[in-house]
Amino acid sequence: MAGSNPFSITLSPGKLRSKPKDTSPRTVAKSDEAAEKHGFVERTPKKRRGRKPSPRTGQVHAKVMPNVAKEISHEAAARGVQQGVLIEEAWALYKAAQKSEG
């Protein structure tokens, strides 16, 4: 025992050594199998959680006259779509008109 304190432990620095873990696929699979038998399951999420990213990432900041803004807003609300959808549709109509002219 070390000294008068029965709970103290004498550690000599030369005896404290770390050993690298065996991370081979076989060993990892074996430890995972043993863990599952004892009720331990992997808790890390399998896929990304939360909202999926929107494909609509381009932003157009159009300044329009107040009356045009109100009309666009009312039309989008009446149709149940976002204002960007109206802009996409208007652009498609514009491109179609350009094709038919040229």
Side-chain angles (χ1 to χ4, degrees):
M1 260 205 229
S4 62
N5 187 354
F7 297 106
S8 69
I9 300 171
T10 305
L11 298 175
S12 52
K15 295 192 179 206
L16 294 176
R17 294 198 176 116
S18 63
K19 295 179 184 177
K21 291 183 180 179
D22 183 10
T23 56
S24 65
R26 183 173 180 240
T27 306
V28 171
K30 191 174 175 182
S31 64
D32 286 346
E33 184 181 327
E36 284 181 24
K37 284 182 183 177
H38 291 287
F40 292 97
V41 292
E42 188 177 357
R43 293 186 293 180
T44 57
K46 299 294 181 200
K47 59 182 178 178
R48 195 168 161 245
R49 296 172 63 178
R51 284 178 58 174
K52 295 189 180 193
S54 170
R56 289 186 163 89
T57 56
Q59 292 186 353
V60 178
H61 298 283
K63 285 195 174 190
V64 295
M65 299 301 283
N67 61 325
V68 175
K70 284 181 185 174
E71 291 174 5
I72 290 173
S73 176
H74 288 300
E75 180 65 19
R79 291 176 50 192
V81 296
Q82 298 291 322
Q83 294 177 10
V85 173
L86 291 181
I87 293 171
E88 289 172 356
E89 290 174 357
W91 184 251
L93 289 172
Y94 170 77
K95 285 177 29 179
Q98 292 297 316
K99 270 188 185 176
S100 66
E101 287 179 10

